[in-house]
Amino acid sequence: MRDIKERVRDKNPKIRNPAARLPKELVRSAVLEAKEKPRDLHEKSSGQSDSPTQYGTEKIESVQYRAASVAGKTIGKTTYRGGKKLAGVTYRKIKERKSRQEEAKAAEEAMEQGAESGKKLIKLKPEHAALAKENGKRQVKAAPRVVIVSGLSQEKIKTQASIQTQQVEKSLQAMQKARAVQMARKSVQASAESGKAVLQVKGKGSKLSVQGITATIQKGGVALEKMGKWIAAGGGAFLLVFILIAGIIAGAAFSSSSESSESLSDEVLAYTSVIQQYASQYGIPEYVSAIQAIMMQESGGRGTDPMQCSESPYNIRFSHSPGSITDPNYSIEVGVQTFADCISQAGSSSPQDMDKLKLAWQGYNYGNGYIGWALQRGGYTEANALQFSQEQAASHGWSSYGDPEYVPHVMRYYSGGSLFAGLFGNQQIVSVAMGQIGNSGGQKFWSWYGFDSRVEWCACFVSWCADQSGLIESGNVPKFSLCSDGVTWFQGKNKWQSGGTTPSAGMIIFFDWDHDGTSDHVGIVEKYEGGRVYTIEGNSSDQVRQRNYAVDYSSIMGYGLIN
């Protein structure tokens, strides 16, 4: 049988011709392919799936038509129909390709316009990108959001990308600036609406009311809005508003820019208890901060004569030559006694009476009758301080006399007489209260309040300390003689902290001894340390005393917040 097949093959040259065997090979390939393809992957144009047999039949017919076409033969209507079908398919493909090219061109033009304007970033569809890659007319680089087309040069693309990035950054910055300005405006308006105190600047006979402060703050808000392009967003805007408002208040309270508050040195702070002792002894316990400012200006708390008061007539232990005192505590005693005399001569009633306080400060530096001389001329001014210095220097034949700018220099270290005492008066009220430790009977406090005879004076004591610290004038603490009134005020202002929580220095502490919901006693928090609350209380066994309690002590009703 094998020999017969070989002889037939040798006699028939077409069998040896690969072209003659081509249809059979193609048919075999088509059949194998039809068997391997899943039936559900093939769909006709009508949407129906071909069976493997139908698909194989069509493949066979297609191969036959192709072979006949190559051989230049015709196989009748079947060939015609196959050619017509193939032509239809080809036409549709050409039409679809042309349509895709037009879409790709339109997309490219839109992309170029977006690159130029920096406003639109267009991404081509995957089929468009593939088509562009196939026909070689375009080169598409896919990116997460941007498609770069080779129609633009690489340099131009980089430049446009940089421009787009800058535009996005500018847009974000503009949004942040707008938000910052809006927050700043709201903060300024809220601060202007919340102000209640009236600040009087008597040095030049002028009065600055809340309305004036409000107007100034509003002007500051307008200026702040204009400066919006320099303002950072978020917490930075809040800080700038805070500095602006603080600067406005400070400018209203202090007539000189040199009178800004600076920190006290550690050496001066170390003498606080000694200053409080002598301030209380000589009747000016509320002026502790004013005395600290003097010491800071005189010596910074250093040396054996920190108050630089050896020339004072109250120095009876050492010579009156400069710097002769060698006992720091004695220097403080003499200095406080000297300043108390200046306060009395100037007629100062409280640390908030800035005109009289300035007169007392300059008198401490000049001595020699300056206070009486200045009172005849309307009180302290920088001009008459300079005039007095020049007159004294001329009369003694000296090149200079004292410090004509002593008051501005001292004011750098003092904040007790300004509205800052209302904003940051925690430590101030503690200092004032500590200066009253040991007072017995409380007559000083209940008579100040307006009573003709003794009353339970713990609340009068707290109110007096708050007044001396500027907290009543600033509206941060009420003037009250009944503990229950104080509780009502703080709770009504949402400035209340419940008992059992951790307090801080300067808070007003209220007690309820019998736990009936009504406060029976009040004091001032000195400090919180080691789980205990340390206080200064008036009318504690009819004296001003220091006490301490566990932080969770059940009789602590709560705390009034002073800022």
Side-chain angles (χ1 to χ4, degrees), residues 178-200:
R179 183 180 178 186
V181 171
Q182 185 178 13
M183 291 173 62
R185 189 188 298 110
K186 288 182 179 179
S187 299
V188 170
Q189 290 174 350
S191 300
E193 291 172 0
S194 65
K196 292 182 179 179
V198 175
L199 177 66
Q200 294 186 350

Side-chain angles (χ1 to χ4, degrees), residues 99-113 122 124 128 138:
S99 176
R100 288 197 297 270
Q101 288 176 345
E102 290 176 353
E103 290 178 3
K105 184 176 181 181
E108 179 187 359
E109 291 175 355
M111 188 279 301
E112 291 177 351
Q113 291 176 359
I122 298 176
L124 294 179
H128 296 163
R138 302 172 190 82

Side-chain angles (χ1 to χ4, degrees), residues 176-187 221 224-229 231-232 237:
Q176 291 173 343
K177 292 167 187 172
R179 183 180 178 186
V181 171
Q182 185 178 13
M183 291 173 62
R185 189 188 298 110
K186 288 182 179 179
S187 299
L224 185 64
E225 184 174 357
K226 292 181 180 179
M227 292 166 57
K229 58 185 176 182
I231 299 175

Side-chain angles (χ1 to χ4, degrees), residues 434-493:
M434 290 187 70
Q436 301 304 309
I437 293 174
N439 180 289
S440 182
Q443 189 272 341
K444 176 178 183 178
F445 311 114
W446 51 256
S447 62
W448 164 84
Y449 197 93
F451 292 104
D452 297 330
S453 59
R454 186 192 181 282
V455 296
E456 298 300 326
W457 50 275
C458 59
C460 294
F461 166 72
V462 170
S463 295
W464 183 88
C465 293
D467 181 64
Q468 296 300 311
S469 304
L471 293 168
I472 292 179
E473 183 180 2
S474 65
N476 288 328
V477 174
K479 182 179 180 180
F480 64 104
S481 61
L482 294 175
C483 299
S484 56
D485 289 345
V487 171
T488 300
W489 189 91
F490 282 110
Q491 289 180 343
K493 296 290 185 179

